[in-house]
Structures are given as C-alpha cells and as structure tokens.
Amino acid sequence: MASKLLVDIHTHVYLPRYAALLRTRSSVPFIRSSAPRDGKVDERLLILDHEPSGGRPVGPQYWDREEKLKFMDRHDAANRYDACWRLTRNDSSANPWLDFLPASQAQMLATQLNEDLEEYCATSPNVQGVSMKRLYGFGLLPLVPEVSIATLLDTVKQISELSHLRGLIMGTRGVGNGLDDTALDPIWAAIEKAGLVVFIHPHYGVDAKAWGDKENGHVLPLALGFPFETTIATTRLILSGVLDRYPSLRLLLAHSGGALPQLSSRLASCIEHDPMVASRLKHDARYYLGKLYFDAVAYGPEELGFVSDVIARSNRYQTNFSAASAADRSLGSQRMLFGTDHPFFPPLDSAEKWKSVVENLEAIEAVQGWSSADKDGVRGGNAISLFDLAS
C-alpha cells in the first residue's frame, strides 16, 4: 500500500511562532493586518520587496494543521492521497527563513521552530492502515552571517534527533557567501553523515531590473527568477566540488532544478573550454545531475520527461565509464518527487481543487515512457524511500 500513497514533498507551513514574529515587523518579511471587515481581520504576507497588490492574502491555510489536512483530503487522487510529506521547506516559515535576523536570535528561533515542527508532525494523525504519520517535515538551520559553525553543527544534530524531521531546507545564500562557501564544508560533512536530505529552495531570484518597468505581478520573479536562482546556486555547488567531496550528500532541488537540466550540456562545454576549471572536477558536469533529486513541480509532462532523461543519461559522463547505452527515462523517474507548493498558487476563483495541484498530477500521469510503477514512484514511492517514511 505504501507505494500507492501520494506524498507531497514541496509544501510550506508558517508555524504560529514564526507568523507571530512576522506580525511584529514593519519591513519585509512581515504580515500586515488591516482593520476588520465583517468581523474578519485582513492579513497580507509580504516576503518580497515591491510585492504587488499589497501582498498575498494569508490565513489559516498557512499555519493551521487541520486546514492543511483538509487541503490534502480535498485533493485525493484515486484514493492515493492518503499521506503527505509536508515539507515545511524551512521548518516553520517558508522563505525567507531566518535570513533577516541577527545570529543570536536566528539560533534561538531555529531551535524553537524545529521543536515546534516536530510536535506539529508527531501529533498529526496516522495514515489509515499504515504505520506512518500524515505529516513530516524539513528542519531549519540558522544560516545567517556571523553564525558559528559550532551552532550550525548543533542544529544539524538537533534535526537528526527529531524523528519526524527527515531533512532540512536551505536557501541559496548560506552564511552570506552562497552554498559553495568552503566555510560550509563541515556542515555538508555533518549532513552527509546524518543521512539528512537537503531541500534547496530559492527566495531572492535575480536582479529585479531584468523584469523591466511593466507591471506583471509575481509572474516574472516566480516563473523565472526563482528557478534561475536555483540553477545558479546548484551550478556553483557543482563547480566548487562539493559533490565530489561529499558523494553521498542527498540534495533535492525545487522547481525541477530550474534551468539546470536544459543548460547542463552547455555548462559541461563551458567547463571543458575554460582553463580555470577544466580539470577541477572528477567528472563531466552532466554526471552530477544524476546524483541530485528533483521535485516534479513543473506543470507539464514534456518538462518532467526531459528532466528524467537528463538524470538517466548521467552515468555516461562518469569518468572512465565505457558502456554507452541509451538513456532510460524510467531510471530518471526514480529521482523525481511530487510536490504542490501549497499554500502558494491558490486559484483565482472559488474552485474546490487547486489547478496548481491538479496540473502537476496530470503531468506525471501523461509522461511518455514512464510505466505505472514509475508514476507511482514519482507520486509517492520515491519519497517514502528517500525519507524512509515507512520506518
């Protein structure tokens, strides 16, 4: 039965402690409250500079566990939506995590939020007929400038000891110098040793000047800026040799890896022709994409199929690998995992089911070259294995 469960690995929760902090602030990130209308306070979440429309409407779906469980139930897919891996892609709050806090406050809050999230998940209902909770989570590190490596190591240890946190979430800035900063090597080593999955998720996008002066809402930052940020951060990780030094590190990329699958051969060629980096890595850059995991938040079957092809071909690019065989799209599917990005991308009308969820499920079903077992794996089986949810 476990292989038939639908597991959502890309969903966000703003735990009450984090939401309360945002309500005390007056600059990004913050929650703005306006005068009650019909007895209801209107709250808006602002997490990006220059948020259009005064921010996103925010309510119980961001923090209330019962609301999240109801959302899961509403999107039951052929009786498969029995369990959801509720990543809190950064333990309690979604981006920007704790990036805006001084080191001492970030350290304290990370510890508290990890404990809050453990309680949130541990006291959630069980999946009917299965020894598994409906909610699990990603812990949070206080990745801010001036935080000590000892503090980060202590937090990795804390997360590894909380039984319902099966990984951790990271933005792309590290402690201020990106994820390729060698100061993070002890952290990568500790994460690898603990067997935790790292979910890499964007927040800052690219220079807003690239979007021009026309008002296009959130479309350009979210559709392009976020995936480009992930593309750049992951490429820097590859170029820095992190995946050579820590070959058992398990990294999960948001938004199907952004543009990295599409640009991976161009990246390999640029490396090969640049004397500064040509001999730096142990393998061709395309090899490393097969060491990564990708969410399936791409909204189209062609995109998902392409990503699985890029994953499947990766062994061809291992140094001294001689057997040249056609890429097996089925093999690539084993490193792809369903997600919803809830509570973001709500429908603009009162539709009961969210198009953003339905489209991702339909995309998985429509991928050519994936067997029924492959599709069940992407929908849930791969996550159950990766996060060891059945234990």
Side-chain angles (χ1 to χ4, degrees):
M1 178 178 178
S3 65
K4 293 292 185 180
L5 297 179
L6 188 68
V7 182
D8 178 1
I9 59 86
H10 189 156
T11 174
H12 307 287
V13 58
Y14 286 73
L15 291 173
R17 188 188 302 270
Y18 189 81
L21 171 65
L22 295 186
R23 291 190 184 97
T24 68
R25 294 174 51 80
S26 58
S27 59
V28 171
F30 69 105
I31 292 176
R32 172 189 291 150
S33 300
S34 62
R37 280 188 217 161
D38 301 326
K40 294 182 180 180
V41 176
D42 179 48
E43 291 194 315
R44 299 276 171 158
L45 174 67
L46 294 93
I47 57 173
L48 300 171
D49 291 328
H50 314 298
E51 286 266 9
S53 305
R56 310 154 194 255
V58 63
Q61 72 273 24
Y62 278 73
W63 50 75
D64 186 277
R65 188 174 64 189
E66 292 308 309
E67 287 297 316
K68 286 192 170 289
L69 292 172
K70 289 177 184 177
F71 174 84
M72 293 157 62
D73 293 336
R74 281 201 309 274
H75 292 82
D76 183 287
N79 296 320
R80 278 190 285 262
Y81 211 94
D82 296 321
C84 254
W85 166 255
R86 284 280 157 197
L87 97 83
T88 61
R89 84 181 201 188
N90 56 352
D91 112 305
S92 77
S93 70
N95 40 305
W97 310 287
L98 305 175
D99 293 10
F100 55 96
L101 296 175
S104 59
Q105 188 178 359
Q107 174 187 354
M108 179 179 66
L109 193 57
T111 299
Q112 293 170 337
L113 290 172
N114 289 333
E115 293 171 349
D116 290 350
L117 184 57
E118 171 66 17
E119 175 73 9
Y120 186 90
C121 297
T123 57
S124 69
N126 288 328
V127 178
Q128 186 175 4
V130 180
S131 179
M132 186 187 303
K133 290 292 184 180
R134 294 197 72 184
L135 302 179
Y136 293 86
F138 287 107
L140 177 65
L141 297 180
L143 286 168
V144 296
E146 299 185 6
V147 71
S148 71
I149 295 301
T151 292
L152 295 175
L153 291 173
D154 286 343
T155 311
V156 171
K157 184 174 184 291
Q158 179 205 20
I159 294 169
S160 70
E161 292 174 348
L162 295 173
S163 62
H164 295 85
L165 304 189
R166 301 299 174 90
L168 57 93
I169 186 161
M170 281 192 184
T172 64
R173 289 193 169 180
V175 293
N177 296 311
L179 300 182
D180 57 351
D181 184 357
T182 55
L184 293 177
D185 274 11
I187 311 306
W188 296 125
I191 291 170
E192 181 187 51
K193 183 177 180 180
L196 296 170
V197 177
V198 179
F199 183 43
I200 296 178
H201 194 288
H203 173 73
Y204 297 98
V206 298
D207 190 338
K209 293 178 182 177
W211 309 137
D213 297 326
K214 282 191 176 293
E215 181 53 69
N216 292 304
H218 288 102
V219 171
L220 290 170
L222 296 185
L224 302 180
F226 272 28
F228 289 169
E229 180 186 349
T230 301
T231 302
I232 294 167
T234 310
T235 301
R236 286 175 59 179
L237 271 175
I238 292 171
L239 287 172
S240 71
V242 164
L243 298 181
D244 284 334
R245 295 193 296 279
Y246 309 104
S248 297
L249 193 62
R250 298 185 295 174
L251 304 180
L252 169 63
L253 304 186
H255 313 122
S256 297
L260 184 57
Q262 175 66 40
L263 297 176
S264 56
S265 289
R266 180 177 177 85
L267 170 63
S269 180
C270 289
I271 292 172
E272 185 177 358
H273 290 90
D274 193 311
M276 184 174 291
V277 294
S279 60
R280 182 184 296 174
L281 302 177
K282 292 182 178 179
H283 308 283
D284 183 292
R286 287 166 285 195
Y287 166 76
Y288 300 100
L289 274 73
K291 305 293 287 182
L292 303 171
Y293 293 86
F294 299 78
D295 76 15
V297 184
Y299 306 99
E302 295 81 9
E303 288 86 349
L304 295 180
F306 178 79
V307 174
S308 67
D309 287 342
V310 170
I311 298 169
R313 73 177 185 180
S314 62
N315 276 340
R316 292 189 207 160
Y317 299 102
Q318 184 177 7
T319 299
N320 298 325
F321 185 78
S322 58
S325 58
D328 182 352
R329 177 171 284 193
S330 176
L331 180 64
S333 74
Q334 296 172 17
R335 287 181 172 263
M336 302 184 70
L337 304 91
F338 170 73
T340 66
D341 221 343
H342 181 264
F344 300 111
F345 299 98
L348 297 181
D349 55 27
S350 58
E352 181 178 359
K353 293 193 176 183
W354 290 28
K355 186 176 181 180
S356 57
V357 178
V358 173
E359 283 184 336
N360 279 320
L361 286 170
E362 290 177 344
I364 292 169
E365 182 60 33
V367 175
Q368 298 295 312
W370 282 2
S371 68
S372 294
D374 295 333
K375 295 170 185 177
D376 282 341
V378 177
R379 283 187 286 247
N382 296 343
I384 291 170
S385 175
L386 178 63
F387 297 107
D388 196 21
L389 299 186
S391 65

